[in-house]
């Protein structure tokens, strides 16, 4: 097997001294693309270029970025907004944080080009408040860009005006859902909105709004500099590009690695990640952030990291948060941990999600604590069936996908605990559920 | 009363938006940074600066885990409890902190120095276990390193 090497497009400047400063960014040619786009391109040409590049959103849903931009109504008289989604709270995902901490100007140059393309004169960069360092870095970078005339009025003499503001959340996963993010910015309770209307038509303050992930926007300067054909030629034909893969869990060298799409997942684990920790065996991988379906060790050996392949194995790349778990992991505990996450983060707007997610925690807790009942697995599937596809936003689906796939692929582990409970007579005790101890 | 500097910071924040109300979450975070937590009076004052009702502020405060509507200790610790951390030392870190500080989740030490909270994934899963101490991230933590951190936080 040939050794994997990183492709380093988005991460090319990570680790350079003072990589986050304007001086360092400009020394590497930063903002030249933005200024030349302003002078030489029409907005529609930028949109066409991004469409032709094949870039898909990096926030989770993987929608074509150029296509999304083209949904802003032509000739609208309302202001248009760009919101950059840096809420990054999907368990297993930690790439956007690296971009905002290590190369905030790369993101801001992308913001400038994107705003020009969609006709926006105001952009909000939304970061979760836990990104103290990222907030400092992006805040300082915005100031530098204004001072250098890269934001503000009549940028580079082009007549294009742009204001960029930093906005922060306050610790809620749901605010990463794009319409919840809009309500979060507006200062109301951040419940996700029903769609339609889609944000591109009626978004922030009722105006046309494009919401894109941090990594998506960081790709834009590279595409405009090197051209759509260059990007379309990276990695897998049907899902091209270079992505930041976040590997966590039981590998020797967890971290963020940049690779073109289409590489073998097993090779990433064995190669760049240095293999499994303490020589243990791989049990499973959750490949696209916690809201994706689990892959068994056998499946991991066969898959490549691109949308078409993940579809074939009925999983998804989501936010590229790859959680690697070894044989020591108890899958009942693992799924209970995740269901606590979804129950905690449900905004409470839809009944199936608000009621279903804590129920799942209750039932899984009793199985984990040796008090599972024979009918519990059917009960779990029944509750999940009531949640999936029946809610305002995809959080409920995101809870069901890991749950059902883990329950299906590792059913024997759940069954063994329930059988043991039946033998010991603990199952069906009238008190049923014991309160989970502490935070775990 | 909100300090004058905080008031002018909040007024400046409102200039970023077409409607002052949109500055609410950043304004509350700024207030919490200066005052420790968001009492009723603080919420009412922020409301009047933004031209909304105290109830509208409360609806938002009560939603977000990182906005505190109850007093907290001088230092707030958030330990990540989500899967990657849990599988890589997070469980043990949590137990260590509970026993060291003698509090359970959400509790504040008797001397008012620390409040211990858990947090969901902090986007540092590759450097588990992870915690925030007064919103600053600390990664790859051994128990000895945590002890040092706590000693330095007076
Ligand atoms: C519950 C939930 C949480 C989400 N969290 C994030 C997030 O933290 N960051 C993000 O970019 N997208 C997140 N998304 C996806 C966004 O709704 C949206 O699709 C994305 O920001 C669009 O950007 P993209 O097209 O550039 O990927 C989340 C979606 C859901 C349903
Ligand atoms: S699915 Fe859950 S998180 Fe999403 S809107 Fe409904 S209740 Fe809220
Ligand atoms: S699971 Fe702890 S930082 Fe992501």
């Amino acid at each position: 097997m040939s050794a994997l090497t990183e492709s380093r497009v988005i991460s090319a400047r990570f680790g350079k001294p003072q990589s986050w400063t304007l001086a360092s960014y400009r020394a590497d040619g930063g903002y030249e693309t933005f200024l030349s786009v302003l002078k030489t391109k029409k907005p529609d040409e930028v949109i066409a270029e991004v469409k032709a590049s094949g870039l898909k959103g990096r926030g989770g849903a993987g929608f074509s970025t150029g296509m999304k931009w083209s949904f802003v109504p032509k000739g609208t008289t309302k202001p248009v907004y760009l919101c950059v989604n840096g809420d990054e709270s999907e368990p297993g995902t930690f790439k956007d944080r690296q971009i905002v901490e290590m190369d905030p100007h790369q993101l801001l140059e992308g913001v400038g080009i994107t705003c020009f393309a969609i006709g926006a004169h105001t952009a909000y960069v939304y970061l979760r408040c836990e990104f103290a360092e990222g907030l400092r870095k992006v805040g300082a970078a915005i100031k530098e860009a204004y001072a250098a005339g890269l934001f503000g009025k009549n940028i580079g003499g082009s007549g294009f005006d742009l204001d960029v503001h930093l906005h922060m959340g306050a610790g809620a996963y749901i605010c990463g859902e794009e319409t919840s993010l809009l309500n979060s910015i507006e200062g109301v309770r951040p419940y996700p909105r029903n769609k339609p209307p889609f944000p591109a038509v009626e978004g922030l303050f009722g105006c046309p709004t494009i919401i894109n992930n941090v990594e998506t926007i960081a790709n834009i300067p590279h595409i405009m500099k090197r051209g759509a054909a260059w990007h379309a030629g990276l990695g897998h034909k049907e899902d091209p590009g270079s992505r930041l893969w976040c590997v966590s869990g039981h590998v020797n060298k967890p971290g963020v690695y940049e690779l073109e799409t289409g590489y073998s997942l097993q090779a990433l684990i064995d190669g760049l990640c240095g293999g499994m920790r303490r020589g243990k065996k791989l049990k499973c991988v959750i490949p696209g952030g916690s809201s994706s379906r689990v892959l068994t060790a056998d499946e991991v050996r066969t898959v490549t990291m691109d949308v078409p392949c993940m579809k074939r194995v009925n999983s998804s790349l989501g936010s590229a948060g790859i959680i690697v778990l070894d044989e020591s992991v108890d899958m009942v505990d693992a799924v209970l941990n995740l269901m606590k996450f979804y129950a905690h983060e449900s905004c409470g707007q839809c009944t199936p999600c608000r009621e279903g997610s804590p129920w799942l925690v209750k039932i899984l807790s009793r199985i984990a604590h040796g008090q599972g009942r024979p009918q519990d697995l059917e009960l779990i599937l029944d509750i999940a069936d009531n949640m999936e596809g029946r809610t305002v936003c995809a959080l409920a689906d995101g809870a069901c996908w890991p749950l059902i796939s883990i329950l299906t692929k590792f059913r024997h582990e759940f069954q063994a605990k329930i059988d043991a409970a039946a033998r010991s007579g603990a199952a069906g005790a009238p008190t049923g559920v014991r309160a989970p101890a502490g935070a775990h | 009363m909100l300090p004058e500097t905080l008031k002018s910071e909040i007024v400046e924040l409102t200039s970023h938006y077409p409607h002052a109300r949109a500055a609410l979450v950043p304004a509350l975070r700024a207030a919490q940074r200066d005052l420790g937590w968001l009492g009723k009076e603080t919420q009412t004052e922020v409301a009047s600066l933004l031209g909304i009702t105290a109830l509208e502020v409360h609806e938002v405060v009560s939603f977000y885990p990182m906005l505190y509507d109850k007093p907290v200790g001088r230092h707030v610790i958030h330990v990540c409890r989500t899967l990657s951390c849990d599988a890589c030392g997070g469980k043990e870190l949590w137990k260590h902190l509970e026993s060291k500080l003698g509090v359970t989740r959400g509790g504040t030490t008797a001397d008012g120095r620390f409040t211990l909270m858990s947090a969901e994934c902090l986007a540092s899963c590759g450097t588990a276990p992870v915690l925030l101490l007064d919103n600053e991230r600390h990664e790859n933590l051994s128990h000895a390193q945590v002890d040092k951190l706590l000693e330095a936080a007076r």
Side-chain angles (χ1 to χ4, degrees):
Chain A
M1 183 181 58
S2 67
L4 280 189
T5 45
E6 289 192 76
S7 55
R8 308 274 271 173
V9 176
I10 303 296
S11 62
R13 305 183 63 261
F14 292 8
K16 283 197 174 186
Q18 305 281 308
S19 62
W20 51 89
T21 60
L22 182 61
S24 153
Y25 190 61
R26 291 201 103 164
D28 288 333
Y31 288 105
E32 280 168 18
T33 308
F34 177 40
L35 293 172
S36 107
V37 162
L38 287 182
K39 287 208 183 87
T40 62
K41 299 263 180 202
K42 293 201 184 68
D44 278 347
E45 292 171 341
V46 181
I47 296 179
E49 193 79 17
V50 171
K51 236 188 222 170
S53 77
L55 176 67
K56 293 195 171 93
R58 303 300 195 221
F63 193 79
S64 157
T65 303
M67 184 87 85
K68 186 191 278 190
W69 294 1
S70 70
F71 294 155
V72 173
K74 294 285 164 253
T76 176
T77 53
K78 293 180 179 173
V80 176
Y81 293 104
L82 171 69
C83 295
V84 180
N85 191 342
D87 194 50
E88 193 166 63
S89 310
E90 172 78 11
T93 315
F94 47 102
K95 61 191 178 63
D96 299 337
R97 181 172 62 72
Q98 317 249 345
I99 295 172
V100 296
E101 287 181 0
M102 291 201 265
D103 205 352
H105 282 290
Q106 174 182 218
L107 173 65
L108 295 180
E109 182 170 12
V111 167
I113 298 170
T114 304
C115 285
F116 174 72
I118 64 174
H121 300 286
T122 308
Y124 295 101
V125 178
Y126 185 106
L127 299 185
R128 60 184 296 188
C129 69
E130 297 89 338
F131 284 179
E133 185 64 16
L135 285 159
R136 282 190 290 268
K137 290 274 167 58
V138 175
I142 290 175
K143 280 208 179 98
E144 283 184 311
Y146 269 105
L150 295 161
F151 292 161
K153 298 264 175 253
N154 189 20
I155 298 164
S158 66
F160 182 70
D161 301 340
L162 176 62
D163 280 313
V164 180
H165 302 291
L166 188 56
H167 189 97
M168 71 170 93
Y173 168 61
I174 194 60
C175 292
E177 195 282 332
E178 57 186 15
T179 59
S180 165
L181 183 140
L182 299 177
N183 282 338
S184 179
I185 296 180
E186 290 185 13
V188 298
R189 241 177 191 242
Y191 289 142
R193 301 176 183 176
N194 273 306
K195 290 186 258 191
F198 287 93
V201 177
E202 200 178 314
L204 190 64
F205 309 118
C207 300
T209 303
I210 292 297
I211 300 126
N212 274 128
N213 172 260
V214 165
E215 187 188 353
T216 308
I217 296 294
N219 268 288
I220 302 303
H222 302 283
I223 290 172
M224 293 313 296
K225 183 175 178 183
R226 295 152 95 161
W230 161 79
H231 186 267
L234 297 175
H236 195 288
K237 276 200 307 293
E238 290 161 51
D239 174 29
S242 179
R243 291 191 70 162
L244 298 178
W245 308 93
C246 322
V247 189
S248 65
H250 297 139
V251 293
N252 278 315
K253 289 190 276 179
V256 168
Y257 298 98
E258 183 166 4
L259 289 172
E260 292 175 16
T261 52
Y263 275 107
S264 146
L265 176 54
Q266 184 75 55
L268 170 62
I269 294 172
D270 293 342
L272 291 169
C273 297
M276 297 301 291
R277 225 175 55 171
R278 303 195 188 112
K280 289 237 164 68
K281 264 174 42 194
L282 175 68
K283 184 168 206 171
C284 63
V285 171
I286 303 178
S290 67
S291 305
S292 58
R293 294 186 179 90
V294 73
L295 300 174
T296 62
D298 283 341
E299 288 170 318
V300 169
R301 270 192 287 280
T302 69
V303 298
T304 52
M305 300 188 293
D306 48 77
V307 168
C309 182
M310 285 294 164
K311 246 195 201 137
R312 267 200 306 281
V313 292
N314 193 26
S315 187
S316 47
L317 284 182
S319 55
I322 300 171
I323 306 170
V324 181
L325 299 173
D326 74 20
E327 57 189 338
S328 70
V329 172
D330 176 329
M331 294 311 286
V332 179
D333 277 352
V335 86
L336 172 59
N337 180 289
L338 290 181
M339 291 309 114
K340 283 182 182 173
F341 169 80
Y342 292 101
H344 186 259
E345 300 302 328
S346 166
C347 80
Q349 186 176 210
C350 329
T351 310
C353 174
R354 180 187 64 241
E355 306 292 325
S357 54
W359 258 105
L360 292 170
V361 169
K362 239 177 176 174
I363 299 166
L364 288 164
S365 294
R366 78 177 170 228
I367 298 175
H369 289 106
Q371 296 174 328
R373 302 169 189 178
Q375 66 279 22
D376 274 350
L377 298 186
E378 293 322 308
L379 189 54
I380 289 173
L381 293 173
D382 203 44
I383 292 169
D385 192 47
N386 251 304
M387 289 168 67
E388 201 181 334
R390 293 171 198 263
T391 53
V392 172
C393 90
L395 181 140
D397 299 344
C400 292
W401 293 338
L403 171 71
I404 298 175
S405 60
I406 289 175
L407 187 51
T408 308
K409 294 178 184 178
F410 297 93
R411 191 172 176 118
H412 53 281
E413 294 192 25
F414 294 75
Q415 197 61 53
K417 290 197 193 227
I418 291 173
D419 292 348
R423 279 196 301 276
S424 74
T431 47
V433 185
R434 202 170 69 196
H440 288 274
Chain B
M1 284 288 284
L2 302 184
E4 284 306 318
T5 50
L6 178 59
K7 270 195 207 161
S8 43
E9 183 179 343
I10 292 176
V11 171
E12 199 279 324
L13 282 172
T14 61
S15 73
H16 300 180
Y17 310 92
H19 308 290
R21 179 180 191 154
L24 182 55
V25 172
L28 291 168
R29 285 287 300 176
Q32 183 168 285
R33 176 201 64 211
D34 288 358
L35 307 169
W37 66 293
L38 302 165
K40 225 175 155 178
E41 256 177 56
T42 305
Q43 293 186 32
T44 307
E45 282 194 69
V46 170
S48 74
L49 279 175
L50 303 185
I52 55 178
T53 66
L55 181 67
E56 287 170 319
V57 172
H58 183 72
E59 272 176 9
V60 165
V61 172
S62 60
F63 186 89
Y64 288 103
M66 295 300 271
L67 297 175
Y68 315 141
D69 57 5
K70 290 186 196 65
V72 291
R74 286 200 300 289
H75 303 285
V76 180
I77 305 169
H78 283 96
V79 185
C80 176
R81 64 151 291 281
T82 318
L83 186 56
S84 301
C85 281
D86 190 66
C88 297
K91 240 187 217 122
E92 295 74 14
L93 176 61
W94 179 262
K95 284 194 190 119
H96 176 71
L97 279 162
E98 269 193 338
S99 79
K100 188 174 168 74
L101 299 175
V103 295
T104 54
R105 174 148 63 148
T108 300
T109 53
D111 60 2
R113 202 162 136 207
F114 294 107
T115 298
L116 180 62
M117 300 194 193
S118 61
E120 297 299 341
C121 181
L122 293 168
S124 303
C125 329
T127 43
V130 180
L131 60 72
L132 301 181
L133 174 60
D134 299 328
N135 216 44
E136 296 295 332
R137 184 177 76 247
H138 301 274
E139 303 163 89
N140 270 326
L141 287 167
S142 69
H143 294 185
Q145 282 168 314
V146 173
D147 293 349
K148 259 210 192 125
L149 269 180
L150 297 194
E151 271 158 41
R154 286 282 114 203

